[in-house]
Amino acid sequence: MITRPLSYLTLGVAAPLLFVAGLAVLAGVYRGSDAALGLIALGFIGATILLGRNLLLLVAWARQPVGTPAPQGEGLWGSVFAEIGDRFQRECELKERLSAELRRFQQAAMAMPDGVIYLGEDDVIEWMNPMAEQHFDLDRRRDVRTALPNLIRQPEFVAYLAGRDYAEPLVMRSLRRRDRTLQVQVIAFAGSRRMVLSRDISQLERLENMRRDFVANVSHELRTPLTVVGGFLETLIDGIDDFSRADVIHYLTLASEQSNRMQRLIEELLTLSALETGAPAQVEEEVDAGALVAEVVRETELLSAGRHELRLVLEGGGALLGSRKELQSAFSNLASNAVRYTPAGGHIEIGWRTGDEGGEYWVRDDGIGVDAAHIPRLTERFYRVDRGRSRETGGTGLGLAIVKHIVTRHQGELVIDSELGKGSRFAVRFPPARVRRG
Ligand code: ADP
């Protein structure tokens, strides 16, 4: 079987020639006859015309766009054209399939959350995705075909790319945006080709810093009371015979206060951790808002011990849908802060109201207040405006962080209004879906 078009072509030329040769043999039989010579000439002209016409068809077809159906050739030429046509068709289909695959790969790479840059010879950029443009402040239309080290000139990156040791990724800071940290990994493939992958790890880094700060803060918060307890105990051990019973009771009471403080800190840390790790919320229940707020007022009266004038305001009762334990913890926290940051003789108002826009719990005081600059940071763990005052009043710096978490878990919002020296209003607003109006 003849498979190559060239063989067909040879056959296409050879067949008429054979035909002519056959005629020549015939002519040889009638040697000398004019009729035989005429026949040879006629055959030769016919074969040449046929060959010329088919070659013209072939040339004209070759000039058509790829995919144009093969022309109708005469005789054997028809099969030759059909064979070439089929072959082209198959190659076109294969090319189309490969292009579609490539397009899909590119679409996937375009949508990737990581930056991708393909480098060709001499580190020239061949392709990049939008995330790579963002990470390195590049522009696809402008920078493709430019050598990457000419665009990212940070020495550590240039050295990493040139070093050819890509076992470990490179962590680098973006030059234009100092708050952006990138993790860059180069992958070598297909000989001299390379792919640069980049990932924005700023958020991870921020979390890592927060974790470090948190551990440092907790250690610091625990070390202070522990040092005090340790000091008292040593004093007692060293001079137990020199101390009166009243002195001993005094030291032990102070030590006990510090131990209570550590216990409170650990309890609040555990509460915060449970809220933060998203442990399942307490069973959702209908909490009688009026009763809950009245209970908080009673607790606050005990805490204030008559030093403040307390007022309860209820504008509509109804129920709150949520965890009773968590809501009570958040409401009490705000009320106890009002007691702790309002000097004796001050006023504290605790209230609840419902309306079309949902429900609102609030605690208003005319205490020391907070300067506006501190307000956005009050809910950060261990953030305190006056560390000394917070400690004196038994604070851990975690109260508002806990409140914020609880409020968020109930789709609510913590709104803080405060003025230094005038007082504060801490409000928790719940959406209508969380409130059953009474
Ligand atoms: P702390 O245990 O220190 O009270 P919180 O998280 O409850 O911690 O509060 C954070 C900080 O917010 C406090 O240290 C205090 O400076 C400020 N703060 C909270 N509530 C009040 C308030 N009612 N009046 C004035 N300052 C307040």
Side-chain angles (χ1 to χ4, degrees), residues 269-339:
L269 279 173
L270 288 175
T271 306
L272 200 58
S273 150
L275 292 170
E276 278 180 344
T277 49
Q282 304 287 326
V283 190
E284 305 270 86
E285 47 191 314
E286 280 205 11
V287 183
D288 182 332
L292 177 61
V293 175
E295 199 179 317
V296 171
V297 171
R298 275 195 300 281
E299 270 175 23
T300 314
E301 271 165 351
L302 285 177
L303 204 64
S304 160
R307 284 174 294 135
H308 306 93
E309 207 170 289
L310 256 77
R311 197 162 92 94
L312 166 66
V313 179
L314 280 179
E315 295 171 8
L320 252 172
L321 295 181
S323 150
R324 187 186 160 79
K325 195 170 152 219
E326 288 184 15
L327 290 169
Q328 177 161 15
S329 158
F331 289 6
S332 308
N333 241 305
L334 295 180
S336 84
N337 275 356
V339 171

Side-chain angles (χ1 to χ4, degrees), residues 53-54 57 69-74 77-78 81:
R53 198 183 110 73
N54 282 302
L57 278 175
Q72 288 287 321
E74 273 92 13
W77 283 94
F81 289 167

Side-chain angles (χ1 to χ4, degrees), residues 341 384-395:
Y341 297 106
R384 288 177 276 207
V385 178
D386 178 348
R387 198 166 274 271
R389 178 162 190 132
S390 159
R391 281 230 187 84
E392 267 167 38
T393 55

Side-chain angles (χ1 to χ4, degrees), residues 264 268 333-342 363-371 374-375 377-391 393-403 416-420 423-426:
R264 220 170 25 247
E268 293 204 344
N333 241 305
L334 295 180
S336 84
N337 275 356
V339 171
R340 290 167 45 231
Y341 297 106
T342 303
V363 179
R364 189 205 305 273
D365 66 58
D366 54 3
I368 62 171
V370 181
D371 187 83
H374 294 287
I375 294 180
R377 301 197 57 191
L378 292 185
T379 54
E380 285 176 23
R381 296 177 297 190
F382 296 114
Y383 189 84
R384 288 177 276 207
V385 178
D386 178 348
R387 198 166 274 271
R389 178 162 190 132
S390 159
R391 281 230 187 84
T393 55
T396 57
L398 296 174
L400 288 182
I402 292 176
V403 172
I416 306 173
D417 292 305
S418 191
E419 206 179 321
L420 191 61
S424 317
R425 184 179 190 276
F426 286 75

